[in-house]
């Protein structure tokens, strides 16, 4: 079940899920969200606007109730960022607070002090954070160094390092690529746009 709150990369996500052989439902009603087998929160755009749309559509409490049932929730790109406590994008905005931490701007220069492209766009390799274990996660059987597709200007900074499952390097800056806290999971990159490996990550989520 995909949360449809008025914004997001719905069509590409639906296409990837259907390619993986599952039935997809676009949910705007509370019952459809709370009773889902697995829930996916997509998103592109600005954090504050997305959270405002979630609240205006009275969806926040129902996503939280879904999580309380222990079923898997996956956030993609902005959807991942919304899982955290707050964001500094265009002011201060409250998130879903499912994973303690904040969303911070990627520095405008690399570690060498030279300006680099913002947003971070393109393919970057995934690496484990602090030798984190990927077995039985959405990265199960994904090789270290597998490249996936990113498009973002802000990066998640979880308070608990154990909630960082994978990272990537962007010109000397560590960027959070995957977060997980129990049944709450997020990908900063777009698995639906990351080729065969991205589809494998989606299949792993479907098998949780």
């Amino acid at each position: 079940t995909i949360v449809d709150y008025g914004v997001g990369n719905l069509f590409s996500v639906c296409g990837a899920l259907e390619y993986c052989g599952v039935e997809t439902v676009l949910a705007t009603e509370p019952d459809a969200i709370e009773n889902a087998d697995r829930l996916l929160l997509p998103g592109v755009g600005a954090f504050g606007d997305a959270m405002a749309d979630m609240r205006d559509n009275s969806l926040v409490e129902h996503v939280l109730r879904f999580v309380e049932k222990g079923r898997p929730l996956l956030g993609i790109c902005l959807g991942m960022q919304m899982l955290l406590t707050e964001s500094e994008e265009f002011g201060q905005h409250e998130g879903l607070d499912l994973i303690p931490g904040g969303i911070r701007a990627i520095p405008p220069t690399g570690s060498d002090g030279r300006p680099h492209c913002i947003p971070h766009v393109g393919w970057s390799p995934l690496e484990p954070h602090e030798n984190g274990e990927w077995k039985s996660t959405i990265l199960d059987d994904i090789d270290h160094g597998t490249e996936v597709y990113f498009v973002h200007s802000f990066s998640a900074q979880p308070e608990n390092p154990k909630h960082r499952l994978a990272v990537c390097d962007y010109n000397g800056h560590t960027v959070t690529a995957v977060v997980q806290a129990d049944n709450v999971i997020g990908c900063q990159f777009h698995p639906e746009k990351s080729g065969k490996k991205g589809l494998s990550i989606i299949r792993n989520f479907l098998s949780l």
Side-chain angles (χ1 to χ4, degrees), residues 55-171:
R55 293 189 183 95
D56 290 345
N57 288 285
S58 303
L59 299 178
V60 170
E61 63 183 285
H62 303 291
V63 171
L64 299 181
R65 287 178 186 171
F66 170 87
V67 170
E68 289 176 355
K69 296 179 180 180
R71 297 170 185 166
L73 165 65
L74 175 63
I76 294 178
C77 196
L78 176 60
M80 177 191 114
Q81 297 180 4
M82 293 162 66
L83 302 177
L84 276 77
T85 307
E86 48 85 26
S87 172
E88 66 176 21
E89 183 179 9
F90 304 122
Q92 291 295 123
H93 305 281
E94 294 182 359
L96 295 171
D97 198 23
L98 292 167
I99 297 179
I103 305 301
R104 306 290 179 249
I106 298 173
T109 61
S111 59
D112 60 1
R114 295 180 180 179
H116 60 185
C117 180
I118 299 293
H120 167 215
V121 179
W123 296 80
S124 294
L126 295 175
E127 298 294 346
H129 179 60
E130 296 182 351
N131 299 313
E133 177 59 55
W134 288 359
K135 188 173 179 59
S136 301
T137 73
I138 62 167
L139 298 179
D140 196 2
D141 291 330
I142 300 297
D143 294 331
H144 297 175
T146 294
E147 292 194 346
V148 290
Y149 188 73
F150 290 84
V151 183
H152 65 119
S153 301
F154 289 76
S155 177
Q157 304 292 329
E159 290 181 5
N160 187 341
K162 293 182 179 179
H163 290 158
R164 269 183 170 178
L165 187 62
V167 297
C168 74
D169 176 83
Y170 186 48
N171 290 338

Side-chain angles (χ1 to χ4, degrees), residues 16-31:
L17 289 168
E18 291 168 359
Y19 185 86
C20 292
V22 297
E23 178 185 355
T24 61
V25 176
L26 295 178
T28 58
E29 298 298 323
D31 287 347

